[in-house]
Amino acid sequence: MTDPLGGEAEIVVIGSGAAALAAALAAHDAGATVAVVERSDSVGGTTAVSGGGVWMPGNHVSGADDSREEALAYMSHLTRGRASAELLARFVDDGPAILAGLEQRTRLRFQPISWPDYHPEMEGARSSGRMIEPALFDATLLGAWQQRLRRAPVLGLPLSLQESTVDWTPSYTPERYDAAEISRRVRAHEVACGQALVAGLLDACLTRGIEPVLEARGTELIQRDNKVAGLVVERDGRRLDAHAKAVVLASGGYEWNADLCSRFLPGQLTHPTSPPLNEGDGLLMAMELGADLINMNEAWWYPAGAVPDEKYEDRQLARFIAVERTAPHSIMVDRFGNRFVNEAANYNDMQKAFFAFDANQAGPRHLPCWVIFDQQYRSRYPVITIRPGAPDPSWLPVGETLDDLAARCGIDPRGLSETVQRWNGFVASGRDLDFGRGDSLYDRFHGDPAATHPNLGTLEQAPYYACPVYLGAVGTSGGPRIDVRGRVQHVRDHPIPGLYGAGNAIGSPAGPAYFGGGTTIGMALVWGHIAGSDAAAYAHN
């Protein structure tokens, strides 16, 4: 059989997101020949459609006062014994140098962003400094590969997270939005967020002669003498063998594989926000070799909304529900009309409340779910893609009274009326006594800075609206267990020789926790680098 990679690569990396490209760079710079295979026709994976933030305690960019002990105390508390202490320690100990090394070895640059940790009041947390983001990147440096950079359907403007959530906040203060500057960046082919991170990593790969092989799906790991010795690739309708001394799995999660999701996740994931080809290819290949699995009931959860018939790669596009649940004059309720969570809490932990089981109905108690808001909200803030002042879309239920709205949505009208009355009382007192919305710095940070209270506001001005909220995720976070060297572990607790993993293709070293904005990509970059470096050493051993 013909090897599509020419038979020259010592390391084959599966995927093309942050974890994969970081692994490819590290393996190359450690002296190995590297090939990258990507299932889709574009480069970037989940990273390219993300915010691109990187969570890293003690990073070299922020200059924040931080300590190893406090970072580990915070991380250990959130993981609740469900993550390896050794892996957490290596992330904290080696991560800052790995990120600094990326700036030294590539044209990628990081800049500070003033987001707090996701539980800033907990021991060891920080109100700012642990999250950084890529600076704008000139995509023309990619040459013809610029056209292969994955399109970001939601975070596609050249607008940094710091600008969109702190400096300009177009959802709250649209008058600050500098349209002329954004137009200039578009004309200059500058990219931001996850696209900027991928572009910088891809540029570094290309300058090293590593060109990703696109539309090449890894389907099976080749073994020889009980060691991984390459990858079976499907390309152009043919089965091809790509021989190598080691393979790095970095092919994303399994959130678009309905069968795997139904087997492992605690709720029906209906609205992933990642590229639709994330079907768990790496997970399945690792399972075939007896890989140990961890964290399989977890994902990087994010509540989602959808505009009917809005597509991304022929699938329903899911959009983040963010301002809708953090701004004043909105609450989130289930079919009983009851609130059930602090709506403004971080998206990952907030959405876990959706999994409560109703013993009477033998199903999820809090699904279906809606964000309920009134004209006060509608006149000030966006609803998914609809700006204030725009006509009400047909997909957004509206009622002149709460009872009308409840009838239209199938919500218990008495429950909704009582919930709104109770909520309005909390707003008048200045404190949410049920769920503490607005108590945390994190809540207030993402609320309206110009409002009387960033997160609290009455619902009392008709008409009333109900925006459906779905179970969404930016990716799954369960998969093969790795050790401190990025080696995939067998169920008998030994490394599978020649097999490494990073990113959403593995069981996250963060366990069930989301420490702060950019946790996913911080883990991806660090463990991608570790896996690639160790794979190169293994190949030369």
Side-chain angles (χ1 to χ4, degrees):
M1 298 180 186
T2 302
D3 182 348
L5 308 173
E8 299 174 355
E10 295 171 305
I11 311 297
V12 173
V13 180
I14 310 174
S16 66
L21 298 181
L25 289 173
H28 175 278
D29 291 357
T33 54
V34 183
V36 174
V37 295
E38 163 59 46
R39 177 180 173 179
S40 75
D41 61 0
S42 59
V43 176
T46 303
T47 304
V49 301
S50 75
V54 179
W55 191 81
M56 175 50 60
N59 67 75
H60 68 291
V61 177
S62 298
D65 178 30
D66 207 345
S67 77
R68 177 183 190 273
E69 292 71 26
E70 289 186 320
L72 288 175
Y74 173 65
M75 296 167 74
S76 298
H77 180 81
L78 286 182
T79 55
R80 300 186 182 278
R82 293 176 54 198
S84 163
E86 288 184 310
L87 267 61
L88 294 180
R90 182 153 198 202
F91 175 78
V92 172
D93 291 340
D94 293 359
I98 289 172
L99 291 187
L102 281 176
E103 285 200 331
Q104 295 164 5
R105 295 158 40 231
T106 75
R107 288 187 275 203
L108 185 66
R109 295 294 177 267
F110 293 104
Q111 60 192 23
I113 174 172
S114 55
W115 279 29
D117 287 345
Y118 280 1
H119 292 276
E121 288 77 30
M122 285 186 177
E123 178 187 358
R126 284 286 180 273
S127 60
S128 185
R130 287 180 175 160
M131 182 184 179
I132 58 178
E133 66 173 327
L136 296 174
F137 194 88
D138 179 2
T140 63
L141 295 172
L142 301 176
W145 281 90
Q146 180 182 347
Q147 302 306 315
R148 293 297 190 176
L149 185 63
R150 175 171 287 280
R151 180 178 66 87
V154 177
L155 299 171
L157 287 177
L159 180 70
S160 72
L161 287 179
Q162 177 70 15
E163 290 170 334
S164 63
T165 62
V166 181
D167 299 336
W168 294 0
T169 55
S171 293
Y172 294 129
T173 53
E175 66 277 6
R176 296 183 190 171
Y177 180 78
D178 193 338
E181 171 59 16
I182 295 300
S183 296
R184 183 202 66 76
R185 295 175 187 178
V186 170
R187 292 193 301 272
H189 299 280
E190 294 178 340
V191 290
C193 295
Q195 283 190 313
L197 182 58
V198 169
L201 295 171
L202 175 60
D203 171 61
C205 284
L206 296 174
T207 60
R208 288 161 171 79
I210 305 170
E211 293 194 357
V213 181
L214 303 182
E215 298 182 274
R217 182 180 186 180
T219 60
E220 183 181 345
L221 293 165
I222 299 171
Q223 278 191 301
R224 187 179 301 114
D225 299 327
N226 293 319
K227 299 178 181 179
V228 171
L231 175 71
V232 176
V233 176
E234 288 183 356
R235 193 178 188 216
D236 297 328
R238 296 182 297 162
R239 172 191 162 107
L240 308 164
D241 289 353
H243 298 287
K245 295 182 178 179
V247 172
V248 180
L249 302 175
S251 51
Y254 61 87
E255 60 273 10
W256 285 95
N257 186 319
D259 180 53
L260 291 176
C261 287
S262 67
R263 268 192 259 170
F264 295 118
L265 295 180
Q268 186 178 5
L269 176 56
T270 56
H271 286 70
T273 59
S274 62
L277 292 183
N278 287 357
E279 294 181 324
D281 291 351
L283 169 64
L284 293 171
M285 287 186 279
M287 289 170 68
E288 288 177 331
L289 299 193
D292 191 22
L293 304 181
I294 61 168
N295 219 45
M296 291 301 293
N297 64 336
E298 295 288 348
W300 307 106
W301 301 109
Y302 208 123
V307 176
D309 299 322
E310 189 178 32
K311 301 291 185 180
Y312 181 66
E313 296 189 355
D314 297 323
R315 299 291 190 99
Q316 173 66 55
L317 174 64
R319 291 179 174 271
F320 307 130
I321 293 293
V323 172
E324 294 85 354
R325 60 185 175 81
T326 59
H329 309 296
S330 74
I331 58 173
M332 200 160 68
V333 303
D334 56 22
R335 65 183 184 277
F336 304 104
N338 296 329
R339 293 178 66 219
F340 55 92
V341 70
N342 170 11
E343 299 93 339
N346 78 80
Y347 40 85
N348 182 68
D349 292 341
M350 185 281 292
Q351 190 159 281
K352 291 181 181 181
F354 283 41
F355 304 139
F357 189 78
D358 187 329
N360 294 325
Q361 298 294 325
R365 180 171 180 82
H366 302 313
L367 287 172
C369 169
W370 298 263
V371 172
I372 307 294
F373 52 93
D374 70 352
Q375 182 59 32
Q376 295 176 92
Y377 178 101
R378 182 73 180 87
S379 64
R380 291 174 173 86
Y381 309 118
V383 183
I384 310 184
T385 59
I386 307 302
R387 306 299 302 181
D392 293 338
S394 59
W395 50 262
L396 182 65
V398 59
E400 285 302 315
T401 68
L402 287 172
D403 284 355
D404 291 341
L405 185 67
R408 180 167 182 181
C409 297
I411 300 172
D412 176 52
R414 181 175 178 179
L416 180 59
S417 178
E418 291 176 352
T419 294
V420 169
Q421 184 178 6
R422 182 173 177 81
W423 170 257
N424 288 343
F426 290 158
V427 174
S429 71
R431 180 86 189 279
D432 172 16
L433 297 181
D434 282 342
F435 300 104
R437 175 171 165 181
D439 288 355
S440 173
L441 168 66
Y442 176 87
D443 301 1
R444 299 189 298 274
F445 181 85
H446 288 287
D448 182 353
T452 302
H453 189 290
N455 310 109
L456 308 183
T458 58
L459 276 73
E460 57 185 350
Q461 292 186 15
Y464 298 92
Y465 298 85
C467 178
V469 181
Y470 306 103
L471 191 61
V474 298
T476 52
S477 58
R481 177 170 62 94
I482 63 167
D483 66 4
V484 293
R485 294 164 57 182
R487 301 178 298 181
V488 172
Q489 302 295 291
H490 191 271
V491 290
R492 296 297 184 184
D493 203 26
H494 61 77
I496 298 176
L499 186 59
Y500 294 80
N504 288 355
I506 63 168
S508 174
Y514 214 131
F515 308 121
T519 297
T520 56
I521 295 177
M523 289 283 169
L525 289 173
V526 170
W527 291 104
H529 177 93
I530 290 171
S533 298
D534 203 87
Y538 169 84
H540 293 157
N541 191 349

